[in-house]
């Protein structure tokens, strides 16, 4: 039986009692500005660089909590602290983002894709919504225009470059752009917003989606051709759920129920393919053609992957009422709350090995920060509350009749 | 007690009974030339690209076995099959190597360092030694001249680029160049050979080596400055033993006993730092400042890392007679032969998880081919035989008095 209100309270408790306090307490770099992006399991600073997309994700997460959950001044202060640093150091004179800065903000590496720019746009837009300060809106608009332009030029060049080296396109780019566009909606002219969303949807649903198998691929050749290598055959579980989640947000806004049904079908199939019967939890990758894996990290269980799945399943359930959503939700939920919660320190374990022990003595690394954790816990709490409200009083969804449980 | 002759026979058996047959049987791509670089645990082909450095390593390994162990025509044929493919497809008109080719040999990615060129030089030089055919010597000389030149230009540009993005230098470049230079010795003018070795030694021992702590670092800033990030603090266990092994070969040739003692001291300290008490085996990395790890693969146990350690320790013992070498050798040897040997199929397991189960259903991946396996098994067998010959008859080295065993 799913008790939506009780479950929603569990997600709120994980968010506000465990995850948010970890970041508020440990990540702030008071002397130099911005956040420490590398933190140990206990929250100690691991010396290293600052990653523009992680800084931006943390700004976004705290401004978004302030805007959508509770207007706590500490959350806004935390977000503003990061945004002040980013606006000073993260972009060059023409408002194109760097990828990596050192602790003091000096550029270490240029951006090779639109990821840092996309998250920076989201951060500034969210902070503008929280403060109504023009500065953030202006920065967001200019950065967004730049990144759309750069992405389009890249696509054209790739499509025209015949006989050149192979160019792979990566799912995380249109995904980050979709999130950025959704965040920019209040700041954009309606027609331009719609055209931008259309362009990104075309890329996702006509190029990255293999329409024969209805499968969202991680890497494609320009214009969507398949490449029969381990990368080309790879489905990235976390990234697919993240994309599903963003598309479901779009469906909720536009009322596109057909797309919501399609996205939920991806999610359910991916659960079947990626679930690890031996240890519980979702693996990182699936090979479209079931060839043996060559990626040494394929069976690692990452908290962000489980949470992206949970959030997508619960949003998908709210929109489609597909009966397999709560079944898979419960299965992943039970495993996740049994294994990833750190019972001794604030924060969640980042990843687990085959014994369900923490893979790393760290809770924040260049590959993963607070973004999925905070967003998915909050989104799931909200979706669960809504599901509870829809339900006739006194009835719970039964989980257990399905062969899965 | 170390029974050198018995141990040497074990290494020969692993080499000739398990590892060499796996590659001879499974890796050859008869229709398109070259080798399949991705193979499953049973030896099935995993579809994908061809990696120039892996192709070159396999050519080198089989030509080297032919030259040093036993002149088996099948080994020479196997090497020549790969070299024919490489000489046709691996380099451009100016004899600079690509990094990746597709199955048919079409270039997929350019080289970003001198690694593919260095191993291709080694492959051609070894094949020239086996066949006395001029073609391979000419190719090797031209490629070697090109890569030395490119590396020097890179170094100068990096040292001069003030205010630019951070440039890290990576230990595997001077290591690959040292191996290439050692392999090219018969083809080079003596003075030029000596000057080249001196330049590479300067880079390794004056730049990559942190002389205060006598520690070989994996990443440095141009001219050897330390960078306090997880990469800058990282010691790469396998790469350090591989470097130690190449330096010990140089010491054996030049009679530099002082350097041999120094290198053996690195090896023994690294064993202490990297040994995993819980599972046995050497971890992949050590943090120079003992900060928590952010690399999710740090505790994976890779066969090539264990074997590079074993080979370096046994060569080091032969040259220095340091009593801790056989102690650590035995410890790593016992663990390696108990866990990495595949009792059901040809070949060794590539890597193990925390339960000492195979991490991957593959035995050949882009990161690791046959190079360390074949070279280290053969070198260790040879070093053990030599140690056995040096020893007074009837006496065995006692291992067990040390607190380690």
């Amino acid at each position: 039986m799913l008790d939506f209100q009780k479950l929603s309270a569990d997600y709120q408790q994980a968010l506000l009692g465990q995850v948010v306090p970890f970041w508020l307490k440990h990540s702030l770099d008071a002397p130099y500005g911005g956040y420490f992006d590398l933190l140990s399991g206990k929250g100690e600073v691991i010396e290293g660089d600052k990653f523009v997309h992680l800084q931006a994700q943390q700004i976004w997460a705290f401004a978004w909590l302030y805007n959508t959950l509770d207007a706590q001044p500490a959350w806004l202060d935390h977000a503003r602290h990061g945004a002040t640093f980013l606006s000073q150091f993260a972009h060059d004179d023409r408002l194109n983002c760097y990828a990596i800065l050192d602790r003091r903000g000096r550029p270490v590496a240029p951006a090779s894709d639109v990821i840092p720019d996309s998250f920076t746009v989201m951060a500034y837009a969210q902070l503008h919504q929280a403060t109504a300060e023009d500065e953030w809106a202006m920065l967001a608009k200019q950065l967004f225009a730049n990144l759309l332009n750069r992405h389009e030029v890249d696509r054209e060049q790739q499509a025209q470059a015949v006989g050149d080296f192979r160019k792979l396109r990566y799912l995380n780019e249109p995904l980050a752009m979709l999130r950025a566009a959704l965040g920019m909606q209040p700041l954009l002219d309606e027609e331009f917003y719609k055209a931008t969303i259309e362009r990104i949807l075309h890329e996702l649903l006509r190029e990255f989606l293999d329409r024969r198998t209805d499968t969202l691929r991680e890497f494609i050749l320009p214009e969507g051709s398949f490449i029969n290598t381990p990368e080309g055959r790879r489905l990235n579980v976390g990234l697919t759920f993240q994309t599903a989640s963003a598309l479901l947000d779009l469906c909720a806004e536009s009322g596109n129920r057909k797309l919501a049904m399609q996205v939920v079908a991806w999610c359910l199939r991916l659960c079947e393919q990626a679930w690890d019967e031996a240890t519980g939890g979702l693996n990182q990758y699936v090979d479209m053609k079931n060839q043996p894996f060559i990626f040494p990290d394929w069976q690692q269980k990452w908290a962000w992957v489980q949470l992206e799945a949970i959030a997508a399943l619960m949003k998908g359930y709210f929109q489609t009422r597909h009966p397999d959503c709560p079944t898979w939700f419960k299965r992943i939920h039970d495993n996740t709350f049994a294994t990833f919660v750190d019972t001794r320190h604030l924060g969640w374990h980042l990843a687990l090995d085959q014994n369900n022990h923490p893979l790393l003595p760290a809770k924040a690394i260049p590959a993963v920060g607070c973004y999925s954790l905070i967003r998915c816990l909050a989104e799931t709490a909200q979706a669960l509350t809504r599901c509870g409200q829809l339900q006739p009083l006194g009835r719970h969804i039964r989980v257990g009749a399905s062969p899965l449980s």
Side-chain angles (χ1 to χ4, degrees), chain A:
Chain A
M1 309 280 276
L2 283 196
D3 180 342
F4 289 119
Q5 300 308 347
K6 159 81 174 62
L7 282 165
S8 179
D10 291 345
Y11 280 82
Q12 289 235 18
Q13 161 57 22
L15 177 70
L16 301 177
Q18 294 166 344
V19 171
V20 163
F22 176 83
W23 297 90
L24 276 181
K25 187 170 174 191
H26 298 300
S27 77
L28 208 87
D29 184 353
Y32 291 106
Y35 313 111
F36 295 112
D37 282 330
L38 313 179
L39 296 167
S40 80
K42 298 177 191 168
E44 302 144 328
V45 173
I46 302 170
E47 289 171 278
D49 294 317
K50 288 175 174 163
F51 300 83
V52 170
H53 74 289
L54 291 177
Q55 303 276 322
Q57 287 175 348
Q58 193 161 170
I59 298 163
W60 177 87
F62 280 86
W64 176 75
L65 286 177
Y66 178 88
N67 289 331
T68 56
L69 192 67
D70 188 10
Q72 294 199 18
W75 294 353
L76 183 58
D77 289 349
H78 191 79
R80 192 194 287 279
H81 176 84
T84 306
F85 180 81
L86 274 206
S87 64
Q88 194 174 353
F89 297 115
H91 16 81
D92 62 20
D93 297 344
R94 297 184 199 167
L95 291 187
N96 294 310
C97 281
Y98 304 112
I100 310 179
L101 311 170
D102 71 7
R103 187 179 169 193
R104 292 159 188 256
R106 287 171 298 207
V108 164
S112 59
D113 53 33
V114 297
I115 303 301
D117 303 77
S118 299
F119 284 107
T120 303
V121 164
M122 286 169 61
Y124 291 157
Q126 203 62 233
L127 197 61
H128 170 71
Q129 193 181 322
T131 62
E133 291 165 6
D134 282 345
E135 175 193 358
W136 308 116
M138 281 165 53
L139 281 170
K141 278 191 224 175
Q142 188 57 50
L143 278 160
F144 191 56
N146 285 357
L147 83 86
L148 288 179
N149 184 45
R150 247 187 14 251
H151 184 69
E152 209 50 35
V153 170
D154 272 5
R155 274 168 59 84
E156 279 165 23
Q157 283 177 349
Q158 286 183 359
Q160 284 161 7
V162 178
D164 207 349
F165 293 117
R166 185 188 297 159
K167 301 279 192 306
L168 286 184
R169 287 174 45 222
Y170 185 28
L171 176 60
N172 74 349
E173 283 211 282
L175 165 60
M177 289 171 65
L178 176 58
R179 278 266 169 234
L182 288 167
M184 284 298 287
Q185 186 180 10
L187 296 174
L188 297 178
D189 164 80
E190 191 182 329
E191 226 164 285
F192 178 74
Y193 170 74
K194 280 192 179 162
T196 304
I197 292 284
E198 275 310 310
R199 251 162 55 191
I200 299 170
L201 280 184
H202 177 91
E203 211 172 321
L204 284 171
L205 302 178
R206 300 270 149 175
E207 295 178 1
F208 280 92
L209 190 71
D210 178 47
R211 281 184 288 166
R212 202 176 50 76
T213 59
D214 199 30
T215 305
L216 201 62
R217 296 168 296 181
E218 186 179 2
F219 292 99
I220 55 171
L221 292 172
E223 304 190 307
S225 302
F226 172 66
I227 173 81
N228 191 13
T229 64
E231 289 76 20
R233 292 190 300 270
R234 191 165 98 165
L235 313 185
N236 183 314
V237 178
L239 219 48
T240 305
F241 282 115
Q242 215 170 65
T243 310
S245 210
L247 288 171
L248 286 168
D249 289 354
L250 187 68
C251 294
E253 174 206 282
S254 64
N256 186 341
R257 199 178 136 76
K258 188 172 160 234
L259 180 58
M261 291 294 289
Q262 185 182 7
V263 167
V264 165
W266 303 346
C267 292
L268 293 170
R269 197 169 58 241
L270 198 57
C271 287
E272 303 273 359
Q273 293 171 312
W275 182 257
D276 186 331
E277 282 295 340
T279 63
L282 297 164
N283 289 326
Q284 294 224 83
Y285 312 116
V286 168
D287 187 286
M288 275 176 77
K289 295 186 155 197
N290 291 318
Q291 293 203 19
F293 278 108
I294 63 153
F295 304 105
D297 57 341
W298 73 287
Q299 269 194 318
Q300 294 169 1
K301 306 298 181 300
W302 287 76
W304 77 272
V305 174
Q306 320 302 316
L307 282 169
E308 290 288 354
I310 284 171
L313 285 166
M314 209 22 75
K315 285 191 214 174
Y317 179 66
F318 179 72
Q319 289 186 40
T320 67
R321 292 276 163 146
H322 194 301
D324 290 346
C325 288
T327 311
W328 270 111
F329 165 83
K330 181 161 166 39
R331 197 172 201 186
I332 303 170
H333 164 85
D334 287 348
N335 180 71
T336 301
F337 275 69
T339 53
F340 284 97
V341 176
D342 187 341
T343 51
R344 294 189 306 163
H345 302 285
L346 287 174
W348 276 28
H349 298 307
L350 202 54
L352 305 175
D353 66 17
Q354 283 299 92
N355 298 326
N356 283 334
H357 295 153
L359 192 67
L360 281 172
K363 285 202 177 115
I365 63 173
V368 188
C370 68
Y371 173 68
S372 288
L373 239 69
I374 290 180
R375 202 191 79 248
C376 294
L377 287 172
E379 284 182 349
T380 306
Q382 188 195 41
L384 285 161
T385 301
R386 285 188 188 162
C387 288
Q389 288 160 350
L390 275 179
Q391 212 182 346
L393 279 175
R395 274 188 54 204
H396 295 305
I397 290 292
R398 277 208 59 200
V399 172
S402 141
L404 277 174
S405 48

